[in-house]
Amino acid sequence: MTLTNIDGAFAIKPSVNKIAARACGYSREEMGIASSPSQAAVEIKLQPIRPKALYLTVYGIGSRVIRDSALKLIDETDLNALVIDVKGDRGFIPYKSAIPLAHAIGAQKVITVKDMQGLVQSLKVKGIYTIARIVVFKDNLLGSARPDLAIKTADGKIWLDREGLIWVDPSKKEVWEYAINIAVEAAQLGFDEIQFDYVRFPDHKGLKFGVANTEEHRVNTIAGFLAEARKRLIPYNVFLAADIFGYVAWNVNDTQIGQEIDHLAPAVDYISLMLYPSGFHWGIPGYRNPVANPNKIVYLSLKQAQERTGLSPLQFRPWLQAFRDYAFDRRHFTGIEIREQIRAANDFGSDGWMFWNPKNIYSLEGFQKKISN
């Protein structure tokens, strides 16, 4: 892998016959180079892109009704991207995988997409940017089939989270290998970007891991996993992102889960802060009612993250809220809240944004309609 200089120039070896390039805020491109003894300059052009995405679950992407509804919104608005579950919250992989472990643990029991590669290609034909979401350390299937990889309580029992699901130990290299193999497979299927979710330790005290439960070990483990994933994905010229808790932008520690923004940033192309106002239970300085101030929550959190990392705004793409509030006044997030969140992300200058609704129910409200010619 070669990094360009500030002007975008780079040097290649005479033996190179193909160039693959990408840059945050731009497309990824490839081009062949004719074999020649000359040292003539070559140019590869990247097109600006700001992904504006909706999220679809394992079941959502497989449902023609839900999928077509999302595609209809993309046709009618400035939406241009989809985040698709490639490994969902319960561990299922929704297409026929070639990974033996996926079959062995039951991750292939729910196949909702018969031809994922064909589906991704059909989305590309429509000009849709595709993001493969992979849930990493929350994996009920892997933990059930391989108790040796599951997170344990202090008395050695398998720990269950609030949903009654098993997590796997972030320090175990076999867990890393499984998640990264899925990421490689997604890249081979043609996805533009790999997005790791639940790339963290659980926020629960008194658990046992393969490393001492200290901030240093937690941070090094999560950063190490992302660095290893980045190395393995280099041949595929695919973007890499990590979903990060919103409060990580504000907290100076690792939020007790191994997510420390300065350590995570070098390993990924995009930091995807989850800036759902309902998730900010204690608010932020100056704004104690997040759902009444969605614009401020999104904008100020992004600014805080940028100031802490020194990164370009184009290296951030936030998750925004398209579901009903659960923490404050139970309000529905309608067009007003949708627009305010979008305005905040746009004013900050992020590389687009993504909307989350676990039910995959989205409407025209709040999105900018396409301008007819």
Side-chain angles (χ1 to χ4, degrees), residues 56-62 67 82-88 92-97 108 110-124 130-133 182 185-191:
L56 295 180
T57 65
V58 165
Y59 297 97
I61 189 60
R67 186 175 66 242
L82 286 175
V83 181
I84 296 169
D85 269 352
V86 164
K87 176 173 174 270
F92 292 113
I93 297 173
Y95 61 90
K96 288 188 177 180
S97 172
Q108 294 281 269
V110 177
I111 302 295
T112 62
V113 179
K114 292 183 178 180
D115 180 9
M116 182 65 84
Q117 188 168 31
L119 176 59
V120 171
Q121 184 56 39
S122 71
L123 296 174
K124 286 183 177 297
T130 53
I131 303 170
R133 176 180 178 258
I182 296 170
E185 191 168 68
Q188 293 169 336
L189 289 171
F191 281 91

Side-chain angles (χ1 to χ4, degrees), residues 12 19 28-29 60 77 105 124 131 143 145 170 207 235 243 276 288 312 320 334 340-341 360 370:
I12 57 175
I19 295 174
R28 61 188 187 121
E29 303 291 345
T77 68
I105 67 175
K124 286 183 177 297
I131 303 170
L207 301 179
D243 292 342
Y276 317 124
R288 296 303 175 191
S312 162
L320 306 178
T334 61
E340 283 299 296
Q341 292 177 91
N360 294 174
K370 277 191 171 66

Side-chain angles (χ1 to χ4, degrees), residues 238-268:
V238 66
F239 289 104
L240 179 60
D243 292 342
I244 308 299
F245 268 2
Y247 271 127
V248 170
W250 297 92
N251 294 342
V252 295
N253 60 14
D254 74 328
T255 313
Q256 309 298 315
I257 59 174
Q259 291 185 348
E260 205 285 314
I261 198 163
D262 294 329
H263 285 78
L264 300 177
V268 298

Side-chain angles (χ1 to χ4, degrees), residues 75-338:
D75 285 340
E76 296 175 350
T77 68
D78 62 346
L79 289 161
N80 62 1
L82 286 175
V83 181
I84 296 169
D85 269 352
V86 164
K87 176 173 174 270
D89 290 29
R90 293 179 177 268
F92 292 113
I93 297 173
Y95 61 90
K96 288 188 177 180
S97 172
I99 300 170
L101 186 55
H103 293 265
I105 67 175
Q108 294 281 269
K109 288 182 179 179
V110 177
I111 302 295
T112 62
V113 179
K114 292 183 178 180
D115 180 9
M116 182 65 84
Q117 188 168 31
L119 176 59
V120 171
Q121 184 56 39
S122 71
L123 296 174
K124 286 183 177 297
V125 169
K126 295 176 180 289
I128 296 172
Y129 184 87
T130 53
I131 303 170
R133 176 180 178 258
I134 298 172
V135 174
V136 183
F137 299 125
K138 179 178 181 176
D139 195 323
N140 195 63
L141 299 176
L142 181 58
S144 296
R146 292 286 307 274
D148 57 310
L149 301 179
I151 292 175
K152 308 294 196 307
T153 59
D155 59 2
K157 296 179 180 178
I158 293 178
W159 174 72
L160 302 179
D161 68 10
R162 300 176 189 90
E163 296 179 273
L165 300 178
I166 298 170
W167 289 48
V168 286
D169 191 334
S171 70
K172 302 289 188 181
K173 294 301 173 66
E174 286 180 83
V175 174
W176 290 21
E177 184 72 10
Y178 180 50
I180 294 172
N181 283 344
I182 296 170
V184 167
E185 191 168 68
Q188 293 169 336
L189 289 171
F191 281 91
D192 294 300
E193 181 175 322
I194 305 299
Q195 179 192 92
F196 289 123
D197 199 359
Y198 286 89
V199 58
R200 63 179 179 87
F201 285 72
D203 55 340
H204 188 85
K205 295 181 180 180
L207 301 179
K208 294 173 62 177
F209 309 101
V211 296
N213 191 12
T214 65
E215 181 170 347
E216 180 182 8
H217 283 124
R218 291 191 300 265
V219 169
N220 288 341
T221 296
I222 300 305
F225 165 75
L226 290 173
E228 179 64 22
R230 185 178 186 86
K231 183 171 69 174
R232 288 275 305 278
L233 290 167
I234 284 174
Y236 304 98
N237 192 36
V238 66
F239 289 104
L240 179 60
D243 292 342
I244 308 299
F245 268 2
Y247 271 127
V248 170
W250 297 92
N251 294 342
V252 295
N253 60 14
D254 74 328
T255 313
Q256 309 298 315
I257 59 174
Q259 291 185 348
E260 205 285 314
I261 198 163
D262 294 329
H263 285 78
L264 300 177
V268 298
D269 297 296
Y270 295 113
I271 295 175
S272 294
L273 287 160
M274 297 180 285
L275 301 183
Y276 317 124
S278 291
F280 284 80
H281 301 287
W282 301 280
I284 61 173
Y287 297 93
R288 296 303 175 191
N289 187 345
V291 297
N293 298 279
N295 179 279
K296 296 299 184 182
I297 294 295
V298 173
Y299 182 80
L300 294 176
S301 295
L302 287 168
K303 288 296 291 183
Q304 182 76 4
Q306 182 192 23
E307 289 170 7
R308 292 209 23 213
T309 60
L311 296 175
S312 162
L314 291 178
Q315 288 182 258
F316 296 90
R317 188 186 309 122
W319 276 106
L320 306 178
Q321 181 169 339
F323 53 89
R324 186 177 182 179
D325 170 58
Y326 57 82
F328 294 91
D329 59 14
R330 305 287 296 172
R331 73 177 63 192
H332 290 278
F333 267 52
T334 61
I336 295 173
E337 290 83 6
I338 298 294

